[in-house]
Amino acid sequence: MNKWKALILVSLLVGEAGPLLADAIFSGPDGTGTGGSAVLATYWTDSRYQMVIGRDEFSGASGTLTGVSLKLWAPFEEAINNVTVRGCFLDPEEWAPLTGGQYINTGLVTLADYGWLPVYNQEAGTGWWSISFFSGTVSTTSYATEDLLLDFCVDNDSTLPVSANFASIPAGAYPAARTITTNTNPEYNLLNAGYGNPSSFRPLVRLEGLNLSCVGSLYPGQLPTPLAADVLVPAGSVLRVFQGTSLFFKPELGIRVEGALQAMGTATSPIEFSGLSWEGLLFEADETEAASTLKHVRLTAVDNVATDGRGALCAYYHEVPLNLSHVEVADCLSPYGGGLFLGDIDLNVEDLWIHNCRAVNGGGGILAESLSDTLASIRIADCLAHQGGGLYINRGTSLWDRVCLSNNTADEGSAVYGSGCGDTQFRNCTFHGGSSTAATVELSAYNANQPAPVLFESCLFMPAAGVERAMHSTNVRTAFAWCSSPVGSANFVGDTFSPLLLEGNISYDGEYDTINWRPHRLESPLVDAGNPVLLDADLTRCDIGTGYWDQSAPVVTHLCDVPADQGHQLQLAWEASSMDLAQVNDDWFYSVWRLDSLFDVSRCAESLWLEDVSQFDPAQIGDTPIRVTAPEGHVWTFVSQVPATQVAEYGLIVPTLHDMLDGQAWESEVLVYWHHDTELAESATATAISVDNIAPDAPLALVAVPAGETIELSWNAVTTGTLDGVTLPERNGIVYHIYASENPWFDIEDAEYLGTVSEPRITLPVEENTRRFYKIVASDSQ
């Protein structure tokens, strides 16, 4: 189903019309109805075949029958001479009683009269031959009440019987009446494509001009599977395909859009168009129609080589915008443009992925002809063609932005082949790997009068395996600015013009990420090395190639204990977001968060709980802690907001809940968020241990009061600690260790230890007539 071959279009009004045409295959007048596969009997003489298409087959049909397409084949490529097609409408009672050898001869209108029709060689592949009606009228007015009879006559004027022709009788005479039988000989079938098999999966006869129109809303499961007819979106109408819908087509059928197609899937519930050697999508709306949009759509398994199609998705004569967002095209085969065949159309692309597609001639992924639009965010991988394994450009002045071509294969131009494409631009593209006998990028023109060069800007060239040249041109001027290749300018060769090497080109031999096609490390020379005028999404100078290294996230550079303090504090430092450094905005800021245990949080009477950090609003800051749930019984607790002031590095003292306790490490984990309008950029987490570095001051005013067999000790509570003459309040709890000895000048040792208390008092037992000396040692509880 394509622009270049006339096909049957069977009309369906979604949700309202009758059944689809069953295989578009019809039974003959013998009434057997064996799979709808009656064939023309083969004799060494002229032949005649009458077939009836029942009125129930036209349920929901609209339009005028303008012709038929026949599937013809023979052992050799031959021709059938003098073919006449006649037809009429009739009531079933007029033909049902007919037996073999009888024909209806009255009321027939001559619809077509051809002197010669080709027959395809079965071994080389079969094809359709279209017979257009140029006389008579076969309208839809009778479809509801009568059946359609078609009469095919072959009057061969050859004088000798040959295998592919039906031998002679005097020219101009119709064949005599004869029995019509189902032929099972695989060599001489007419109107069949499967070696005489009455259940051939390919149709025998298809109608032209009748459409099964799809308009309105199409939901999952609403159409049968597999589809046995083309889907037409008529001019002046819109078909809305809802998420989760899957359409599977029989061979040589597809979707033709003359109005507008709105196929709106989602990431988790995409729309799928597929089939068995089916035709794909053809867009050809005129300028009066609405735009078409495909979003989260997967298009697979197109094979339209037999019908000389153009691309799994063809938009050549399409005069309104076509929007492709998150579209995948895979495992497709076409003569030209294995994935897409594009003319000079208004195409808007966001994340187009084409892979494992093939073209017999040019453009394994995309063939663009006379295109003058901007195409961006495209991945083409593992595609194959004779020229332009990934992309074939024929003329045009298009701009290709952030296109990644990887592991494609072609005789000429594994990534790109361009023909007469002066003034075309490639920006932030990656031409990577694959296989070619020529160059990774091959540009050619018929003469050297091309007025403007092909410009490569901020592009990365990684030559195909075994190919020394990254880019080769013939009669095409080329210019390179801020580009990179393994050996620099030696990769660029021109037969007619020397490459114009502009500023900023670099040679790159470093490690390369073969999964994402971007540098491993931030310090790679391909990061922030492109055109300084153009900025990436993180507001930094654009990177070379399609690889994008997001530098908008803050980077934690330092998290450690604050020295000479009373604990519960860490010193945090982080590098600014690239967006912060690019400009000042009063609404941009950082937020700092600490990971707490659920036990610690439960001790807080109230909290303001958020589902995620994106819900954080500075207006929420107050006395109530702000928290976000985290896995494994933990939560992130908001610590502080820091305004963005366009400085390179920021610092903050972060409070902790625990210091080191009895030598055990109590790690605190923190992270930083960059808040840019409604977007977030998250740093990696960092961990450290806070330490109480200042010992408590010595307890003072120790008093001992005997009371019979006990003695009561009391002293002043310790609330401060002193270091280098500076006294600071204690932040941790204080505990007191009690020691006693009969020697007034005893050392503090385990043998003298009596116990530990948290209050500045203790009652101890004493023996009568004993003399004891006491010492109190204060220490931090952590």
Side-chain angles (χ1 to χ4, degrees), residues 294 322-327 340 342 345-354 366 371 373-379 400-403:
L294 305 182
L322 175 60
N323 306 308
L324 304 179
S325 174
H326 299 86
V327 172
L340 271 62
L342 305 174
I345 67 168
D346 184 0
L347 180 65
N348 302 305
V349 175
E350 178 187 0
D351 192 8
L352 170 63
W353 182 29
I354 303 173
I366 297 177
L371 189 66
D373 211 339
T374 297
L375 287 88
S377 187
I378 300 174
R379 294 174 291 160
W400 299 83
D401 188 13
R402 296 198 179 279
V403 179

Side-chain angles (χ1 to χ4, degrees), residues 380-383 389-390 403-409 413-416 429-436 439-441 459-465 470 484 486 508 510-519 526 545-546:
I380 304 176
D382 303 302
C383 294
V403 179
C404 181
L405 300 119
S406 59
N407 292 332
N408 300 292
T409 301
S414 61
V416 177
C429 295
T430 296
F431 310 104
H432 185 279
S435 176
S436 175
T440 304
V441 177
C459 293
L460 172 63
F461 294 83
M462 304 294 287
S484 176
Y508 179 67
E511 293 183 53
Y512 201 67
D513 182 346
T514 57
I515 301 300
N516 300 309
W517 315 115
R518 65 185 187 186
L526 302 184
T546 52

Side-chain angles (χ1 to χ4, degrees), residues 40 42-48 74 78-84 113-119 152-176 178 190:
L40 180 62
T42 301
Y43 297 93
W44 299 108
T45 180
D46 296 333
S47 299
R48 183 179 183 186
E78 297 288 352
I80 299 177
N81 295 334
N82 299 324
V83 177
T84 302
D113 197 351
Y114 283 82
W116 177 88
L117 288 179
V119 179
F152 298 92
C153 286
V154 178
D155 179 13
N156 197 317
D157 60 6
S158 173
T159 58
L160 295 175
V162 291
S163 61
N165 293 343
F166 296 89
S168 65
I169 58 173
Y174 287 118
R178 64 174 62 86
L190 176 66

Side-chain angles (χ1 to χ4, degrees), residues 528-604:
D528 279 356
N531 187 337
V533 178
L534 302 175
L535 300 180
D536 277 334
D538 61 2
L539 301 184
T540 62
R541 176 176 177 169
C542 67
D543 306 326
I544 285 183
T546 52
Y548 165 55
W549 194 281
D550 187 357
Q551 300 177 67
S552 63
V555 178
V556 175
T557 58
H558 187 72
L559 182 66
C560 65
D561 176 56
V562 175
D565 72 341
Q566 294 282 20
H568 287 275
Q569 294 187 122
L570 293 175
Q571 175 64 58
L572 170 68
W574 68 90
E575 291 181 354
S577 163
S578 56
M579 295 182 177
D580 180 6
L581 295 176
Q583 64 186 87
V584 175
N585 187 301
D586 293 338
D587 295 328
W588 297 352
F589 63 93
Y590 300 91
S591 66
V592 179
W593 300 73
R594 182 188 65 228
L595 188 63
D596 294 341
S597 71
L598 193 59
F599 172 76
D600 290 319
V601 171
S602 66
R603 294 184 295 176
C604 180

Side-chain angles (χ1 to χ4, degrees), residues 716-733:
N716 292 344
V718 176
T719 59
T720 59
T722 302
L723 180 67
D724 297 332
V726 178
T727 299
L728 298 173
E730 282 291 341
R731 304 186 63 169
N732 287 306

